[in-house]
Amino acid sequence: MSSEDKDFKGRCMYCNTNVGRDKVKTCGRCRLVRYCSKECQVASWKTHKLRCNQNLRESLASDPASNALNTALSKWINAWRDDLHNWAIRAMDLANSPPDRLATHCFVIEIERRPNPPSASQFFRMHGGGVETRASFIARLEEINEASEETVACVNERRGTDTAQIIILCEDLIRFLWFSLRDGGASLRNRDSAMSRALAEKWQQGMIGAIETGRPRASKTHLNGAAIKVIGPPPV
């Protein structure tokens, strides 16, 4: 990962493209979110307007602990972004699912700060997650009185049947990520069904283990295990 890719302040909040902090444009109202283009800013405004105000920035500034957690989470997401995408598409099992699965479901993970983390890469640990319908996730938020207008709007934001949504719950914070599938998801939907099912099995344990080690690329162990289950071990 290049130094530019590691800089989360150079990443567009809407399309996730990292164009570098000297090229992104910061929202002039809240000064908290960044966009790579006017088009992304306009597309994001439907949900961002629900929380875009100067008071939000002032609130973070007056609460150093929340601000520190918010910054740490942004850095962690930036480091794990590619692997979050990989885990999400494995868990979705697209080869054995209806064509509209990405439009109706979201990939949710729950993380928390680790007490006395041994390194920056191990700042968080994962304690749960799953693939849920958007309706069931909103119902879960309503049960704990966390279904704000902004949150519900973000959960219900659909970007077609070829864009996956990742929702990250971290203590009292919630983050949303979207990513479009290469080739419109055709290669994933046409993948061998047995392989797709094997990848979708036990993904949670594999992802928890990868995050525990603080090594994003540890997710390859899960991929290799699924391949061995379907096609057998390599010849000696």
Side-chain angles (χ1 to χ4, degrees), residues 25-59:
K25 305 297 182 182
T26 304
C27 175
R29 191 176 180 191
C30 69
R31 306 296 298 172
L32 287 172
V33 299
R34 305 168 185 85
Y35 300 102
C36 66
S37 66
K38 185 68 174 179
E39 289 75 17
C40 280
Q41 183 180 18
V42 171
S44 175
W45 181 243
K46 182 179 179 180
T47 52
H48 179 56
K49 68 181 179 181
L50 299 174
R51 72 193 298 258
C52 179
N53 57 66
Q54 188 175 2
N55 292 335
L56 175 62
R57 184 176 180 84
E58 292 174 350
S59 174

Side-chain angles (χ1 to χ4, degrees), residues 88-157:
I89 58 177
R90 292 177 200 176
M92 286 288 187
D93 190 12
L94 295 182
N96 299 296
S97 300
D100 65 345
R101 184 166 175 80
L102 296 182
T104 58
H105 289 69
C106 51
F107 178 72
V108 182
I109 66 167
E110 301 175 36
I111 62 175
E112 62 187 1
R113 281 173 287 190
R114 186 196 308 267
N116 304 312
S119 66
S121 62
Q122 293 173 286
F123 194 87
F124 295 102
R125 66 175 11 141
M126 177 179 165
H127 57 83
V131 177
E132 299 184 42
T133 65
R134 286 178 165 82
S136 67
F137 182 72
I138 290 174
R140 188 149 67 97
L141 293 177
E142 289 173 342
E143 289 179 359
I144 57 175
N145 297 317
E146 292 292 339
S148 67
E149 183 182 3
E150 177 208 359
T151 300
V152 171
C154 286
V155 174
N156 283 327
E157 183 175 345

Side-chain angles (χ1 to χ4, degrees), residues 9 29 86 132 134 140 144 154 164 175 193 196 198 202-203 233:
K9 291 186 177 181
R29 191 176 180 191
N86 290 335
E132 299 184 42
R134 286 178 165 82
R140 188 149 67 97
I144 57 175
C154 286
R175 292 290 188 86
S193 61
S196 182
K202 300 181 179 180
W203 68 264

Side-chain angles (χ1 to χ4, degrees), residues 11 15-17 77-78 80-92 94 102 107 109 164-166 168 176-182 188 207 219:
R11 191 175 292 278
C15 71
N16 293 324
T17 302
I77 290 173
N78 199 57
W80 282 82
R81 185 176 300 274
D82 290 343
D83 285 86
L84 290 175
H85 296 176
N86 290 335
W87 284 111
I89 58 177
R90 292 177 200 176
M92 286 288 187
L94 295 182
L102 296 182
F107 178 72
I109 66 167
Q165 182 187 55
I166 300 174
I168 302 170
F176 297 89
L177 302 175
W178 290 265
F179 68 96
S180 298
L181 303 183
R182 294 176 182 175
L188 295 171
M207 187 173 184
S219 62

